[in-house]
Amino acid sequence: MANKRPTKTKAPARPAQLADGEIPVVGAREPCPCGSGRRYKACHGREASHAVAELVRRPFEGLPGECDWVALRELVPAGTAELKLKDGLPEGVPMVTLATVLPMAWPGLRRDTGAVLLGLQNETASGDISRDLAETLLRALTAEPGHPVDGNRPAPVGPRLQDVLDLDAPFEPVVHTGFEFWLENADAATGEVAASLERANAAVIPTVRLTGVDAAYWCQTPEKNHLRWVMPHPEERLLDAMSRLHAAGVSSLGEGTRLVGSFRAHGLVVPVWDLPVGVSAEEVEKPAAAFGERLAEALEQETPLTADERRARSGFTNRQITLS
């Protein structure tokens, strides 16, 4: 018998990738679109999952007013800021407003008027707050008027706020004494709505944004007042400068005030001063501006820290609390 030639087996077709080489997202148990023969979750899905979970240290970097974004996220009880979109507002959306907190801790809200509110102080589904917020914002723009927007896990390659917002528009936060901005006409609120608003307002710590320096917030507590100042400078350089001023005895904001430590929030350092109860936001304006000038000079120094400055830096670092 003549030898039979082996029959060639046609290889299974490889699923097409996206034009730019990106692997499409499919179900975790489905075959990976790359054609490896493995399930998506054990192949390229692993990379996608890691990308979603990976923590972005400075999620607001590149946005106008990065320091104020951090303050509204971590320090300010009731505040808003109007947002401008890169491609303009879609039809039927007269305004987009960032808010520290929304009713029921909703991530987003489309008012009856079509206006959109985006909540900032919410739990996030991924390690990138900017991507989470952008995903919520885009869904809110197309939500039915009069409906809240629930949280959702963003795609690992989805847009971020830096891709969606107009980066040339100024970011101008407004600090409120209460949450009346939740309602179109808060003065007309009655019944349970009015009671809920009253309860929410009762928990607000009085807060004022200084006008003479950027991203500095005065707040009032029963025992003492505080100034919390979000600063954009690289952490190590800022800590050196603050330590130089503290060792020289010029780190306070006047009589009875004291630099007590700092927060670390979203990649930025937030120095904190204790103020006497009687010191108002207006009274701290000039001392804060003067401190800003001293700090600018200290930031320019490049000589090694002295022994006293190193001790001051060590104490300052030990009193640092990470918020995010």
Side-chain angles (χ1 to χ4, degrees):
M1 294 180 61
N3 292 331
K4 292 184 178 181
R5 299 180 64 181
T7 302
K8 291 184 177 180
T9 302
K10 186 177 180 180
R14 292 169 62 93
Q17 296 185 16
L18 301 186
D20 60 358
E22 180 186 337
I23 304 298
V25 176
V26 298
R29 292 181 173 274
E30 295 181 33
C32 185
C34 74
S36 66
R38 291 185 292 170
R39 289 180 177 178
Y40 179 68
K41 70 175 183 179
C43 192
H44 282 84
R46 183 178 300 170
E47 299 175 9
S49 177
H50 176 72
V52 170
E54 186 176 2
L55 179 65
V56 175
R57 184 169 176 267
R58 286 180 63 178
F60 306 118
E61 185 176 14
L63 293 175
E66 178 189 6
C67 294
D68 284 307
W69 277 88
V70 172
L72 291 180
R73 166 76 182 182
E74 300 293 344
L75 307 176
V76 179
T80 59
E82 184 177 353
L83 299 179
K84 301 292 185 181
L85 305 188
K86 180 178 65 175
D87 298 325
L89 293 173
E91 185 178 357
V93 180
M95 179 179 292
V96 175
T97 302
L98 180 74
T100 50
V101 180
L102 295 180
M104 308 296 293
W106 288 324
L109 173 66
R110 183 97 184 268
R111 292 191 188 276
D112 291 332
T113 61
V116 166
L117 292 175
L118 178 66
L120 182 57
Q121 295 180 11
N122 293 306
E123 295 294 328
T124 54
S126 77
D128 186 353
I129 297 171
S130 178
R131 200 181 307 280
D132 285 340
L133 290 171
E135 196 274 342
T136 300
L137 172 58
L138 293 177
R139 287 191 294 117
L141 294 174
T142 58
E144 286 293 325
H147 286 74
V149 178
D150 294 329
N152 198 13
R153 191 177 185 88
V157 293
R160 308 177 73 237
L161 289 174
Q162 289 82 347
D163 304 314
V164 175
L165 300 182
D166 181 355
L167 302 184
D168 293 324
F171 185 74
E172 300 176 345
V174 177
V175 178
H176 302 274
T177 57
F179 295 102
E180 283 75 14
F181 62 84
W182 284 352
L183 306 174
E184 293 281 8
N185 185 6
D187 292 336
T190 59
E192 181 56 32
V193 173
S196 296
L197 185 60
E198 184 177 354
R199 287 194 296 269
N201 288 346
V204 172
I205 295 175
T207 302
V208 177
R209 183 177 185 266
L210 300 193
T211 60
V213 296
D214 292 333
Y217 291 80
W218 170 96
C219 68
Q220 183 182 46
T221 62
E223 295 183 358
K224 62 186 68 175
N225 298 345
H226 305 279
L227 183 72
R228 301 178 290 189
W229 191 343
V230 187
M231 296 188 171
H233 315 292
E235 180 172 345
E236 296 303 315
R237 182 180 166 201
L238 176 59
L239 291 177
D240 281 353
M242 299 288 289
S243 301
R244 295 181 195 276
L245 296 178
H246 196 67
V250 291
S251 63
S252 75
L253 299 176
E255 184 177 356
T257 71
R258 185 168 67 97
L259 176 65
V260 293
S262 66
F263 299 127
R264 182 192 290 114
H266 306 293
L268 299 181
V269 175
V270 188
V272 179
W273 287 262
D274 278 351
L275 312 172
V277 172
V279 174
S280 66
E282 183 178 354
E283 290 171 322
V284 84
E285 287 276 9
K286 287 185 178 179
F291 177 86
E293 294 177 359
R294 297 196 298 272
L295 178 63
E297 294 178 0
L299 286 167
E300 295 298 322
Q301 298 182 34
E302 297 183 355
T303 56
L305 297 180
T306 66
D308 287 343
E309 291 167 348
R310 288 196 301 272
R311 282 192 291 270
R313 193 185 196 282
S314 177
F316 195 63
T317 302
N318 290 338
R319 296 191 300 275
Q320 189 175 61
I321 300 173
T322 299
L323 297 181
S324 59

